[in-house]
Amino acid sequence: MPKLSTGQCQALRELERIADHLSCAVEIISHHQQDNGWLNTELRLDCTGIPRTKGGLSLRDSERFIVLFPSDFPFKIPSVWVRHIRFAGSAHVQWKRHLCLYQSPATEWVPAGGAFGFLDRLWDWIRKGAKGELDPVGGPLHPPAVYTSSSLRFVVAKADA
């Protein structure tokens, strides 16, 4: 198994600083490096003080998030997942569990923000989601999802049916 990269070590240090400073709001549950080199970090966030509205995300008082940090973090954006499917069908939730925090990662992700900036963005996503404001009326539309790779195989029938 590969060892943690410099960027992944930076991410862990920053998360530990955040958890130490906001011990009631952020807790690092676990972290390990996956075989593919990504750092898998599970966080618990206290959501008790977040205002909720009908039609918003079905938040619990405490939510767990899995943040995956690539080896070239902070130059590549981490991704965030949940283990449950309570958010499935909500705006900016893909594959029932993957949270889309950035409409345009190429322009919105700021590497200098590191894990601090990423966690700020996650909190913002949670707050907006709890109020049902992830896709506000009049706001910019999310570009269509285009995936450059997949494990799925496609069959294209060329015969006239």
Side-chain angles (χ1 to χ4, degrees), residues 47-75:
C47 299
T48 53
I50 297 176
R52 297 161 170 88
T53 60
K54 187 176 180 178
L57 293 176
S58 175
L59 284 180
R60 294 188 174 155
D61 288 344
S62 177
E63 289 287 349
R64 288 185 176 206
F65 299 90
I66 299 164
V67 182
L68 300 173
F69 292 96
S71 60
D72 46 1
F73 177 83
F75 303 107

Side-chain angles (χ1 to χ4, degrees), residues 95 147-155:
W95 306 300
Y147 305 106
T148 58
S149 65
S150 172
S151 61
L152 298 177
R153 295 189 179 177
F154 297 95
V155 175

Side-chain angles (χ1 to χ4, degrees), residues 24-90:
C24 294
V26 178
E27 177 186 2
I28 300 171
I29 301 295
S30 65
H31 62 83
H32 68 277
Q33 191 167 33
Q34 299 178 159
D35 290 337
N36 63 5
W38 287 69
L39 172 62
N40 181 317
T41 307
E42 187 166 6
L43 304 175
R44 184 200 58 80
L45 303 181
D46 180 6
C47 299
T48 53
I50 297 176
R52 297 161 170 88
T53 60
K54 187 176 180 178
L57 293 176
S58 175
L59 284 180
R60 294 188 174 155
D61 288 344
S62 177
E63 289 287 349
R64 288 185 176 206
F65 299 90
I66 299 164
V67 182
L68 300 173
F69 292 96
S71 60
D72 46 1
F73 177 83
F75 303 107
K76 291 283 170 91
I77 188 170
S79 65
V80 63
W81 296 77
V82 291
R83 293 188 188 275
H84 57 78
I85 58 170
R86 283 181 286 115
F87 300 163
S90 298

